[in-house]
Amino acid sequence: MCLGGYIVMPNETLLLLGVNHKNTPLEVREKLALNSGYEAPLQALGKIDGLREFYLLSTCNRVEILVLAADGEDVEKTLASFLFADSLPPEQYEQFLYCYRNEQAVHHLFMVATSLDSMVVGESQILGQLKEAYRWASAEKSTGPILNKLLHKSFSVAKRVRSETRIGSSAVSISYAAIELAKKIFGSLENKRVLLIGAGEMAELAAEHLVGNGAKNVVVANRTLERALDLAKRYNGRAVGLDEILEQLEHVDIIISSTGSPGIVLHKKEVKPLMRNRRNKPLFFIDIAVPRDLEPALNDLENVYLYDIDDLSNVVELNREEREKEAIKACRIVDEEALKFKDWLEGLFITPTIAALRAKGDKIRQMELERTLPRLKNVTGKERESIEKMASAIVSKLLHDPVLFLKRESCKDQSEMKVSLFRSVFDLEEKQ
Amino acid sequence: MLSEVNRLLFDAVLFSSVVACVVYLLFFFSQKEEIRKIARMILVMSGLLQTLYIFSRYMIAGHTPITSQHEAVVFFAWSVTWAYLSFHWRYSVKNFGTFVSVFLLVMMCIAASVSRDFHPLPPALQSIWLPIHAGVAVLAYGFLALAFCGALMYLLQEWELKSKRLGFFFSRLPSLGALDQLNNHCLAAGFAFLTLGIITGSIWARQAWGTYWHWDPKETWSLITWFLYAAQIHQRFTLGWRGKRAALMSIVGFCSVLFTMWGVTYVLGGIHSYAQ
């Protein structure tokens, strides 16, 4: 079959494999997180046989692989073991993993893009993360026409949901949850000082909300000072090195940590002696990093409150009810768009068949004309034209109903069967 | 006639505190602003009724009605009510009223369950210092009771935040910062009155019995209470004690207050004892 020169086999499947915050605990997700960025894993994926197109999404809440591959259990198993590497044996990771095919995969991708599958429904970071993942995949040339179309579609579905529902309007995000908590701890955020450890997008957003709620001073500590300076400038803040964190902890109130460090950045025993110098003023730690940056035992210290990304999801539960209505509306949009995309995908199966049928008719017409015309004598140019017209009219009228049958909506769900029946009836197989 | 009015007035006080408590609890569950306004109005009315009741007892007894168990408790509740209302006038702490109204109801129930008889005032106590000393002391207890209620709320909220089980109370209770500040302010006021109470008491003692300090059990326990609060305030100033530790200290201090009020009378006796 053809799609601008691109061949899609009927036995190829869209396959989406992944884990997310809903069914996989933080401890397991930590082991999967791709700290090294997208480049290496994408290249590793490229070495797996049978993947025609692929792309990879990794955020602090999910890791997902979407591929277009030949049918078969093998691909699924290979991808699963790629995802978990050596961190867990297959018997253990099976309970965490979800796997969607074709229209379900499309539906899931749309759910993710519209943030309906996010920890905080309505948050907008995921779209940016999706776009970034796509940029990497296309830089590695791992996506093709199908995934290109699918991913672009997911961006536009997200936009449509955002404009037609209000799920994104009330500052709904992790940072929103963090601010609710901060308000319950400090009362007012007026003049509170914020320290960002690591300068990721998530931390940036949280800082923005905090400053919007009156927080005064933003200090950014980052591995690369450049990025820290960049971010600090935006909030009239200061940039410091990672080794100055402890010193800063004496003066700040809210700490958002999001480094890509594989180990713990801040321990309980380091913070404990600081509390005396702080005169026991409360400290609020928000750990949005995966793997975790802050030792969980910090929460045991008096006047210290530590929330990691899983804890924050509990807070979010509080105002989920209000947003549920809008989420239902958004789900309807996703359902609708997923259906449309499914039609398009199926169209891919039908279109080349129609083209092949037309080509065959054309060929027969051509052949018959070539055989008949030389035998006729005394044919004027005009008569010859009429005969040619008649031949093409017969072909197109004869093919009209079969083509309509192919395009008919009524039996779309059996389209694969229909197409293959159709192909054998008209003997189109060898013409690919 | 007057004693009849007096009896009716106490029934009205008891009834109004039950209603105030119920309406405050209703507000706590529903969080509807209109209900809060009604609850507050009922509490103000209850405060006025308490004032009238105390006044009627004054008319009957001919001296400040703070010499029996019943009178002391009513006076205590009265000071808590007005301390809360005056406090509320300055600034408000979310849902504080609910906790205070429950506390008031408990006080009123205690007052209702003990004897309401009038006791003749011993000659030693007949002085202008009676209303001054007792009034100041009871006012101190009022503020310390508010600090106690605030401390309970603090512990509840802190527990929710620490355990990350943000449930029913999380949205209803005020922030830790506000509760800590409440604790701080109530303690400052309560401690100042407590100090004044001890000073006026010793001046009165000098007048009545000839010495400033007797080591009477009530005096001793007042001093213990005073030291407990003094220690806490000192720690806050020097080391920045706050939060959970301060809340626990407020609760310990208030237990000492309660013991000074009742425990001493029943367990240890002494010249302060009333309602024998």
Side-chain angles (χ1 to χ4, degrees), chain A residues 146-426:
Chain A
I146 306 277
L147 284 195
N148 283 342
K149 169 97 178 174
L150 179 56
L151 286 163
H152 277 125
K153 192 71 204 169
S154 76
F155 304 154
S156 70
V157 173
K159 252 185 222 152
R160 194 184 149 198
V161 164
R162 207 149 283 278
S163 64
E164 290 181 24
T165 72
R166 282 178 298 146
I167 60 167
S169 63
S170 55
V172 278
S173 66
I174 284 294
S175 47
Y176 175 72
I179 280 161
E180 283 298 290
L181 277 169
K183 279 186 182 161
K184 279 292 179 194
I185 292 170
F186 297 106
S188 144
L189 298 185
E190 220 54 53
N191 294 328
K192 292 286 174 286
R193 293 156 193 263
V194 183
L195 169 66
L196 303 182
I197 306 177
E201 270 175 40
M202 226 16 200
E204 200 180 317
L205 200 83
E208 203 161 296
H209 280 162
L210 285 168
V211 170
N213 276 277
K216 188 181 65 177
N217 218 319
V218 178
V219 182
V220 186
N222 198 38
R223 199 159 34 89
T224 56
L225 206 62
E226 249 181 306
R227 173 97 177 101
L229 275 169
D230 223 34
L231 200 57
K233 212 185 285 167
R234 257 199 281 156
Y235 303 111
N236 290 326
R238 280 183 318 119
V240 298
L242 277 178
D243 47 344
E244 290 170 84
I245 289 176
L246 283 182
E247 199 180 306
Q248 288 300 321
L249 277 182
E250 286 187 19
H251 311 292
V252 299
D253 304 288
I254 302 166
I255 299 94
I256 303 169
S257 193
S258 63
T259 74
S261 152
I264 299 285
V265 173
L266 204 58
H267 291 88
K268 180 183 171 186
K269 62 174 192 287
E270 294 169 305
V271 178
K272 198 176 177 191
L274 292 173
M275 291 312 281
R276 204 189 155 100
N277 288 348
R278 287 183 57 79
R279 296 178 56 78
N280 292 310
K281 271 187 301 179
L283 269 175
F284 181 29
F285 287 99
I286 304 161
D287 189 353
I288 50 181
V290 179
R292 271 179 279 205
D293 281 347
L294 309 174
E295 190 183 12
L298 276 174
N299 196 45
D300 301 338
L301 288 173
E302 219 174 292
N303 297 314
V304 173
Y305 304 88
L306 166 68
Y307 277 71
D308 67 26
I309 204 147
D310 277 355
D311 300 329
L312 287 173
S313 69
N314 290 337
V315 185
V316 171
E317 207 77 36
L318 288 177
N319 38 31
R320 177 163 289 175
E321 242 172 68
E322 304 155 28
R323 297 201 308 273
E324 220 132 68
K325 267 192 212 157
E326 293 302 309
I328 288 169
K329 226 196 272 177
C331 277
R332 228 176 284 138
I333 295 175
V334 166
D335 291 347
E336 186 190 319
E337 294 286 349
L339 214 63
K340 271 195 213 161
F341 194 83
K342 185 185 141 211
D343 285 354
W344 180 82
L345 257 185
E346 274 158 5
L348 281 189
F349 291 115
I350 296 165
T351 315
T353 307
I354 293 171
L357 183 66
R358 292 224 165 102
K360 183 167 182 173
D362 222 40
K363 207 174 165 192
I364 292 170
R365 183 183 59 91
Q366 206 77 42
M367 254 166 59
E368 292 306 313
L369 278 176
E370 271 165 24
R371 214 161 59 185
T372 311
L373 281 177
R375 286 198 216 144
L376 297 173
K377 281 155 198 165
N378 305 324
V379 186
T380 60
K382 220 177 177 185
E383 283 167 333
R384 191 192 163 90
E385 225 170 81
S386 296
I387 291 169
E388 278 174 3
K389 262 188 190 161
M390 182 191 69
S392 61
I394 289 172
V395 169
S396 66
K397 281 194 175 150
L398 198 62
L399 294 185
H400 180 71
D401 286 327
V403 167
L404 271 191
F405 164 75
L406 254 191
K407 286 184 173 171
R408 202 167 297 152
E409 297 274 332
S410 60
C411 42
K412 272 242 159 101
D413 41 341
Q414 301 154 8
S415 68
E416 241 174 89
M417 214 176 78
K418 197 165 77 175
V419 168
S420 70
L421 183 73
F422 197 90
R423 287 185 152 262
S424 48
V425 165
F426 287 92

Side-chain angles (χ1 to χ4, degrees), chain B residues 130-190:
Chain B
L130 171 65
I132 295 177
H133 166 65
V136 167
V138 161
L139 212 55
Y141 291 176
F143 278 102
L144 296 176
L146 289 186
F148 168 75
C149 288
L152 285 183
M153 289 167 82
Y154 184 96
L155 291 182
L156 207 57
Q157 181 72 301
E158 206 239 17
W159 179 79
E160 293 227 325
L161 275 165
K162 278 276 190 194
S163 66
K164 294 162 189 176
R165 275 180 227 142
L166 308 177
F168 180 73
F169 288 107
F170 176 73
S171 56
R172 287 175 171 79
L173 291 181
S175 67
L176 293 182
L179 287 172
D180 194 47
Q181 202 184 30
L182 171 92
N183 191 27
N184 200 11
H185 286 193
C186 287
L187 274 190

Side-chain angles (χ1 to χ4, degrees), chain A residues 22-148:
Chain A
K22 287 184 180 161
N23 42 23
T24 313
L26 192 58
E27 289 78 11
V28 176
R29 268 160 29 220
E30 279 179 357
K31 291 179 186 154
L32 310 177
L34 307 158
N35 290 322
S36 50
Y38 281 108
E39 224 168 331
L42 276 171
Q43 279 163 5
L45 265 177
K47 289 184 186 120
I48 296 175
D49 277 341
L51 302 188
R52 185 178 287 269
E53 297 182 24
F54 53 91
Y55 125 105
L56 183 74
L57 172 69
S58 165
T59 73
C60 41
N61 286 334
R62 67 182 69 246
V63 179
E64 288 180 353
I65 304 174
L66 177 61
V67 299
L68 180 72
D71 263 336
E73 285 287 301
D74 284 358
V75 183
E76 199 182 315
K77 277 191 186 134
T78 318
L79 287 177
S81 63
F82 168 80
L83 194 59
F84 284 92
D86 302 321
S87 62
L88 280 178
E91 313 80 82
Q92 276 183 41
Y93 64 60
E94 260 161 18
Q95 52 172 325
F96 302 127
L97 196 68
Y98 49 80
C99 178
Y100 298 111
R101 287 163 185 282
N102 294 327
E103 52 264 35
Q104 280 182 334
V106 171
H107 190 267
H108 181 80
L109 179 70
F110 288 177
M111 290 293 274
V112 170
T114 51
S115 88
L116 288 169
D117 199 50
S118 290
M119 183 182 285
V120 189
V121 171
E123 52 108 356
S124 56
Q125 294 104 295
I126 185 65
L127 189 58
Q129 288 162 334
L130 209 67
K131 283 180 176 167
E132 202 205 334
Y134 175 56
R135 263 201 300 281
W136 278 104
S138 51
E140 289 289 321
K141 297 198 171 50
S142 72
T143 58
I146 306 277
L147 284 195
N148 283 342

